[in-house]
Amino acid sequence: MTPTTTPRGPVTERPAPAVTAVVGLLVLFELTSGFVQTGIAPLLPDLAAHLGVDAVDTNWIVSVQLLAAAVCVPLFGRLGDLHGHRRMLRIALALTATGTLLVALADTYPLVLAGRLLQGPLAALLPLEIALVRDRLPVAGARRAIALLVGSLALGSLVGGVAMGLLHSAAGDLRQVLLVPAVLALICVPVSFVAVPESTRRAGGRVDWPGVTLLSTAVLALLGGVGAAKNGALSSLAVLGPVLLGAVLLTVWALVELRAAEPLVDLRALAGRDAAPFYLGAFLFGIFYFGSQAPNATFFAADPATTGYGFGMSALAISLVSLPGYLTAVLGSFATAAVARRLGYRPTLVTAFLLVAAAFLQYAVLHDEVWHMAAGSSLLGLGIGLALGAMPTVIVEASDLSRTGIAAALYNNIKTLGGAVAGGVFASLLGAFTSPASGQPGENGYRAVWLAGALCALLAAGLSALARRREAPAPPQPAGASAMR
C-alpha cells in the first residue's frame, strides 16, 4: 500500500479490485438511477388519478425531486471532495432508496412529494462516480468510464420507461409496480459496500453552509412563485412576492460565495469563457431535458374526445411510443466518445442541441399522429444522448483534480436546477392555456412548452459554439498505482 498525501493529510490507498469490476458496480448504480428517474414518467397520469391531482400539479411530482437535487448535488459533491466520494455515494444511495420506497407506499400527494424530496441525492450519484473514476484512472480510461456511466444512465432510462409500462399493464396495481424501482434502489445500498474503493485525493477547507442555506431557500422561493402562477395570474402578490424574494436571496448568495474562502460554488471559475457557456448550456439543457417529461406524458394520456388532442394512451402505450427516443438516447450516449474523436466535443454539443431543437419544433407543428410523436422522440433522444455524454467530460476536464467532485456536481446541479425551474414554468404555461370547458390544459399550452424547449436548445447550441475549450492534462498517478486496481 502507498500513502497518498492530500491537503488534509495522508490517505492510505488500499488495494482495490479490478477496474472492470469497480466500474461494473458503478454501472449498476447508474442503471438503477436511470430506471428510477424515468420509470415514473409513464405512470404519472395514473399516479395523478390515484392521488386526485390535475395535470398541472402532476408537474410538481417531477419538479420537487429536481428542487431537492439542486441543493443536494453541490452539497454531496463538496462533501465528497472533503471526506471521500465513496462515502457520500453510499449515503446518496441510502436516501434514494428510502425516498423511492416512500413513493411506492404513499397514498397521499404530500407523502409522494416527501418521497420525491428524499430522492434528491439521486442526481448526485453520477458526479460522485465521475470523481471516483477520474481520481483512479488516467485520462483515456476516465473518458471511457464516464461515457460508459452516462450510457448506462441512458440505458437504465430506456429499461425503466418501458419496463414500468409493461409491469403496470400486466399487474394493474400501481403500488406493486412502484415497488420494483424501490427494491432495485434498496439492493444498491449493500452492493456499494462490496468493492468500490475510496478516492485518494482530498480537498482542503470546509462546507459552505451559509451558501447551502441561501441557495436552497432562494430556489424554494423562486419555484414557489412560479408554481403560484399556474393559473396565469403572473402579476399577483403570490407570484411576485416569492419571485422577488428568491431573486434577492440569489443576489445575497452570490455575494456570499464571492467572499467565501471555500465557496460552495466557485462563481469566479464560472465567469471565464472556458466554463461559463457550458454551464449556461447545462442550465438550458436541464429545462428541456427534465421539463418536457411530465407534459409529454400527460399529452399522450389526454382523451381526444374531451380535450381535442392527445391519444388516450395507457402507461404501457406511453412507454412504447417513447421507446424510439430511449433507444436513440442510449445509442447517442455510448457513441459520444467516437463522435467527439472525429468532430471534437464542442461541435458534438452544437450538433446535439440542434437535433433537440429540431425535435421540439417538429412536436409543435406535427403532433396529431402517433408516428409524428415517435419520430420526434427519436430525434430528441439522439440529441439528448450525445449531450449527456459530452457535457460532463468537457466540464470536469477544465477543473482542478482536487475539485472534480464539485465541478461534476455543479454541472449536474445547474442542469437539475434548470429542470426544477422548467417544471414550474411549464406548469404555468399549461395552466395559462387551461380550457374552461374541460378544465385541462389546451393544445396551445403544449405548443408553448415545445416552442420554449426549442428556444432553449437553440440558445444552448449558440453558447456551445462560442465556448473556448481547453484539454485537461493527464492526472499524475499515485505512486505504485497506475489505475483503479
Side-chain angles (χ1 to χ4, degrees):
M1 294 186 294
T2 305
T4 302
T5 303
T6 72
R8 298 188 61 185
V11 175
T12 301
E13 183 184 336
R14 301 177 181 178
V19 62
T20 52
V22 173
V23 174
L25 292 178
L26 301 183
V27 162
L28 170 64
F29 302 154
E30 282 310 302
L31 287 170
T32 302
S33 175
F35 196 104
V36 172
Q37 286 185 50
T38 64
I40 197 172
L43 304 179
L44 284 173
D46 291 314
L47 181 59
H50 173 71
L51 298 173
V53 298
D54 60 21
V56 176
D57 286 333
T58 303
N59 280 275
W60 288 102
I61 298 176
V62 176
S63 297
V64 74
Q65 190 269 336
L66 298 174
L67 168 63
V71 178
C72 289
V73 171
L75 177 59
F76 275 65
R78 181 60 176 153
L79 287 171
D81 288 339
L82 292 172
H83 304 297
H85 301 103
R86 179 184 65 179
R87 177 181 299 179
M88 298 312 302
L89 181 68
R90 291 170 173 172
I91 294 173
L93 287 168
L95 290 172
T96 297
T98 303
T100 308
L101 184 61
L102 180 56
V103 169
L105 300 178
D107 280 326
T108 64
Y109 184 60
L111 279 179
V112 169
L113 294 183
R116 295 288 288 171
L117 275 172
L118 286 173
Q119 287 180 330
L122 181 70
L125 296 180
L126 183 59
L128 291 169
E129 292 159 359
I130 289 174
L132 274 172
V133 299
R134 191 170 182 237
D135 175 84
R136 291 286 190 146
L137 294 175
V139 170
R143 286 177 175 176
R144 289 193 297 270
I146 291 171
L148 181 61
L149 291 172
V150 173
S152 300
L153 175 61
L155 180 59
S157 300
L158 162 64
V159 175
V162 175
M164 293 292 275
L166 286 170
L167 288 170
H168 188 264
S169 177
D173 188 311
L174 188 62
R175 175 167 292 176
Q176 288 181 6
V177 176
L178 288 171
L179 280 171
V180 173
V183 170
L184 291 175
L186 287 167
I187 290 173
C188 287
V189 178
V191 169
S192 67
F193 286 83
V194 173
V196 179
E198 184 59 277
S199 51
T200 59
R201 298 175 179 86
R202 296 287 188 278
R206 56 186 178 81
V207 176
D208 174 24
W209 290 112
V212 173
T213 303
L214 284 168
L215 177 61
S216 57
T217 307
V219 171
L220 181 61
L222 287 171
L223 291 181
V226 171
K230 68 179 184 180
N231 294 319
L234 299 177
S235 60
S236 67
L237 182 61
V239 174
L240 295 179
V243 168
L244 290 174
L245 174 61
V248 170
L249 289 174
L250 275 180
T251 302
V252 174
W253 171 76
L255 293 174
V256 169
E257 295 299 278
L258 289 171
R259 292 173 178 268
E262 294 289 338
L264 178 70
V265 177
D266 188 351
L267 295 178
R268 290 186 176 86
L270 300 183
R273 191 178 165 190
D274 290 342
F278 291 121
Y279 281 118
L280 289 173
F283 178 80
L284 295 166
F285 182 29
I287 290 178
F288 60 74
Y289 176 54
F290 293 111
S292 63
Q293 290 180 6
N296 281 4
T298 55
F299 182 87
F300 286 134
D303 181 3
T306 303
T307 62
Y309 61 83
F311 307 102
M313 288 184 173
S314 64
L316 175 59
I318 294 173
S319 297
L320 293 177
V321 79
S322 302
L323 182 59
Y326 290 132
L327 286 171
T328 54
V330 172
L331 292 174
S333 297
F334 281 118
T336 299
V339 174
R341 276 197 301 270
R342 291 179 175 271
L343 302 181
Y345 276 90
R346 185 174 63 178
T348 298
L349 277 178
V350 173
T351 302
F353 290 137
L354 290 177
L355 289 173
V356 169
F360 278 120
L361 288 173
Q362 189 236 282
Y363 279 156
V365 176
L366 295 174
H367 52 260
D368 297 327
E369 302 290 341
V370 172
W371 73 266
H372 293 164
M373 302 299 291
S377 178
S378 299
L379 203 59
L380 181 65
L382 181 60
I384 283 177
L386 287 170
L388 282 172
M391 290 201 79
T393 299
V394 169
I395 288 174
V396 299
E397 286 188 0
S399 67
D400 183 81
L401 278 170
S402 67
R403 294 185 69 84
T404 295
I406 190 60
L410 181 57
Y411 153 68
N412 232 34
N413 178 60
I414 290 176
K415 183 180 69 177
T416 52
L417 179 59
V421 171
V425 171
F426 287 0
S428 298
L429 285 175
L430 293 175
F433 289 92
T434 298
S435 169
S438 66
Q440 297 296 319
E443 187 173 0
N444 283 336
Y446 289 95
R447 284 197 181 98
V449 165
W450 292 323
L451 289 173
L455 177 61
C456 289
L458 289 173
L459 289 173
L463 287 166
S464 299
L466 292 173
R468 181 179 63 236
R469 182 173 182 264
R470 61 181 177 85
E471 295 287 340
Q477 296 299 304
S482 59
M484 192 187 297
R485 296 177 296 175

